[in-house]
Amino acid sequence: MSNGYYLISKIERLPYYKYKGDALRLLNQSAMTVDEVVVGNKKNPHILRKITTFRNSQGEIIERAINFSDKPYKNRIYLKRDNVIGESEFVTSTHIKEYTLSRSLKKAFLEMLKTNQKRTLLWTPIKFFTNHFSENIETGEKVLTQVKQSSLLKPQKEIHTFTEFPHIKNGKISNQIKKMLKFSVNTLNGYNINKNNITEQNVKFPQNDTFLGLRALDIEDSKTAFTQKFMEERGLKNKRITINPFYVAENHEEELTKAMFDPNDGTVNFVIGHNYKSKSEVCTTARHETEHGWQFYLHARNTKGGVTDWEEKIYELFRDLPNKLKKEAQEYTDSIKNYVTVGENQEKYRKNFIEIKANKAGINAGIRYNKERTEIQKEFPHIPSELL
């Protein structure tokens, strides 16, 4: 090998159960096969380069561990989705998350794996990006569009970039100018855009998209983001409501649920196992559960503490309601007292007042989200609408 490095070992498509290496893994997901390459440095035998790639049963990369002995650990997590635009454009979207871990934290990370804590807890996120590779089966034209989140450690100035590269036509790269839209997002303040830090190249900045700060996010990451945005819009910021995007269902009824608001601890729980098909679906769900948060917040103040620890804390902190909210709050209280779960009676569940109100809020949010998407979709038409 060149550049002063030489090959030490190489394995390809090794069955995962036979792998005895020590590569650190972020995914709690079994692989089917493993590739691993180890190279050494001719001048410094203490420096090693090891790249370990984990693949699923379809041969697709799900994780890559990069272990350079003189640098922090680096891992990339991959998630592939296939979509169709129209009738002839097929798109493969690969979402990649890149993290690093200080070598001094290896022992702590291995200890943490024995618990149920989030596996990325000690890792530093570097960048998240999605490569949308589309091919028109009628014309043969191929397009690569990349959406990227960077500066992740600066939540008030996180950078979002949309880039459409020159198209490939008849096997050749066209001479068109690439498209690029770049802006900074305040993820701590409703995912609002910093209008003084926008770069436009061959595109127009969407002027009427209140969700633009969330368009670059992957489906899974958008759960928390949508909920935070709606909580701010609904006046629930700093109202002791938390978000759990990885809730493990405790019974069969919960397994059939997308998400739920738990008044026992004031948490919006997104149930693990539900496969969201689009960000629009996440938007609708997040708005629905945020409305439940609002309902129980008013109920807690209306009943001077309700029955749960969280409701008691809410009343302790915010006390009695102003007169203008008492009628609305009483309607929620009456509905909550007579609430019927979907498992008890599906028809009565749907007719419950708080569910009717939450459903309406969720549906309207989804309609708004889809309508406002048209501007950026016009500028970047090769990104599947489900992911935009």
Side-chain angles (χ1 to χ4, degrees):
M1 300 181 67
S2 58
N3 300 322
Y5 287 92
Y6 63 96
L7 179 65
I8 295 177
S9 64
K10 182 177 182 180
I11 57 175
E12 293 181 295
R13 298 299 196 273
L14 178 73
Y16 182 62
Y17 70 89
K18 291 185 177 181
Y19 177 67
K20 305 301 181 184
D22 60 354
L24 301 183
R25 293 204 61 193
L26 281 175
L27 282 182
N28 188 21
Q29 172 187 350
S30 293
M32 183 61 67
T33 61
V34 181
D35 303 336
E36 187 169 85
V37 175
V38 181
V39 300
N41 187 297
K42 295 178 180 178
K43 295 182 178 180
N44 191 338
H46 298 291
I47 294 179
L48 298 177
R49 300 280 189 264
K50 180 168 67 175
I51 299 177
T52 311
T53 303
F54 301 89
R55 300 178 185 270
N56 61 18
S57 57
Q58 287 77 46
E60 300 163 346
I61 299 174
I62 58 173
E63 184 171 8
R64 176 164 283 155
I66 303 170
N67 181 2
F68 290 3
S69 60
D70 56 337
K71 299 180 182 295
Y73 296 101
K74 180 189 295 184
N75 274 42
R76 290 176 178 167
I77 298 172
Y78 297 74
L79 177 61
K80 177 184 172 184
R81 296 186 178 95
D82 292 316
N83 291 93
V84 180
I85 298 176
E87 297 181 351
S88 57
E89 187 173 0
F90 289 78
V91 187
T92 297
S93 301
T94 304
H95 182 61
I96 304 168
K97 293 183 175 184
E98 184 174 301
Y99 298 87
T100 64
L101 176 74
S102 169
R103 302 189 77 83
S104 63
L105 292 176
K106 178 182 178 180
K107 184 177 180 180
F109 172 68
L110 293 176
E111 285 296 317
M112 195 190 72
L113 291 182
K114 300 175 183 178
T115 70
N116 292 322
Q117 295 186 67
K118 187 177 179 182
R119 297 171 75 93
T120 57
L121 189 62
L122 298 177
W123 294 67
T124 301
I126 300 301
K127 60 183 176 181
F128 299 163
F129 59 102
T130 305
N131 293 325
H132 303 280
F133 186 76
S134 71
E135 181 174 5
N136 191 305
I137 60 173
E138 292 184 356
T139 66
E141 184 178 43
K142 300 178 181 179
V143 183
L144 172 62
T145 308
Q146 186 181 83
V147 180
K148 182 170 65 174
Q149 296 168 254
S150 55
S151 298
L152 300 180
L153 297 182
K154 299 178 180 179
Q156 292 178 302
K157 295 181 180 180
E158 187 173 289
I159 303 298
H160 292 191
T161 309
F162 294 75
T163 307
E164 182 181 305
F165 295 93
H167 301 191
I168 299 176
K169 302 178 180 179
N170 299 318
K172 297 181 180 179
I173 300 176
S174 64
N175 59 3
Q176 68 189 97
I177 301 174
K178 74 176 182 181
K179 295 181 179 180
M180 185 179 72
L181 177 64
K182 184 178 181 180
F183 50 85
S184 66
V185 178
N186 187 340
T187 66
L188 300 181
N189 185 26
Y191 283 77
N192 292 322
I193 307 299
N194 180 359
K195 294 294 182 69
N196 298 319
N197 188 18
I198 298 171
T199 300
E200 302 166 274
Q201 181 175 310
N202 205 27
V203 299
K204 293 181 179 179
F205 178 81
Q207 296 292 334
N208 303 301
D209 187 356
T210 59
F211 293 99
L212 185 60
L214 290 84
R215 300 292 179 187
L217 275 62
D218 182 63
I219 288 178
E220 289 299 312
D221 294 334
S222 72
K223 294 175 183 177
T224 298
F226 274 120
T227 309
Q228 288 176 335
K229 179 177 178 62
F230 291 138
M231 283 171 54
E232 183 155 327
E233 290 182 0
R234 203 62 173 104
L236 290 172
K237 188 175 181 179
N238 300 322
K239 295 298 190 294
R240 298 300 178 97
I241 293 178
T242 57
I243 306 165
N244 181 4
F246 309 108
Y247 179 74
V248 179
E250 296 183 354
N251 52 57
H252 180 65
E253 185 174 316
E254 290 186 351
E255 289 176 350
L256 300 176
T257 305
K258 295 181 183 181
M260 66 192 78
F261 177 79
D262 187 350
N264 291 295
D265 58 6
T267 302
V268 174
N269 292 310
F270 288 86
V271 179
I272 288 180
H274 179 76
N275 181 25
Y276 286 88
K277 301 297 183 183
S278 68
K279 285 170 67 177
S280 178
E281 183 186 359
V282 178
C283 172
T284 299
T285 303
R287 183 62 187 87
H288 178 111
E289 299 307 331
T290 300
E291 190 66 13
H292 281 326
W294 170 254
Q295 292 162 351
F296 277 93
Y297 166 72
L298 292 193
H299 166 68
R301 295 178 66 183
N302 184 52
T303 57
K304 300 185 185 300
V307 296
T308 72
D309 291 342
W310 176 78
E311 290 169 345
E312 288 183 4
K313 189 65 177 179
I314 289 298
Y315 182 71
E316 178 185 322
L317 291 171
F318 304 105
R319 310 307 294 177
D320 293 329
L321 287 164
N323 288 332
K324 64 180 180 179
L325 290 175
K326 286 183 177 179
K327 182 178 182 297
E328 179 184 355
Q330 188 58 46
E331 289 179 316
Y332 298 150
T333 294
D334 293 340
S335 179
I336 290 167
K337 286 181 179 179
N338 298 294
Y339 190 80
V340 177
T341 68
V342 66
E344 293 171 328
N345 188 306
Q346 194 172 52
E347 184 177 352
K348 289 184 178 180
Y349 162 79
R350 290 175 176 170
K351 290 182 179 180
N352 195 287
F353 181 71
I354 64 170
E355 290 301 335
I356 291 173
K357 297 287 286 186
N359 281 332
K360 182 178 180 180
I363 290 170
N364 287 341
I367 292 172
R368 173 183 152 207
Y369 184 75
N370 293 338
K371 181 178 180 181
E372 294 182 10
R373 183 178 58 213
T374 56
E375 287 187 82
I376 194 167
Q377 197 162 32
K378 182 179 179 181
E379 300 298 332
F380 296 96
H382 304 285
I383 300 177
S385 60
E386 293 87 349
L387 305 180
L388 191 58

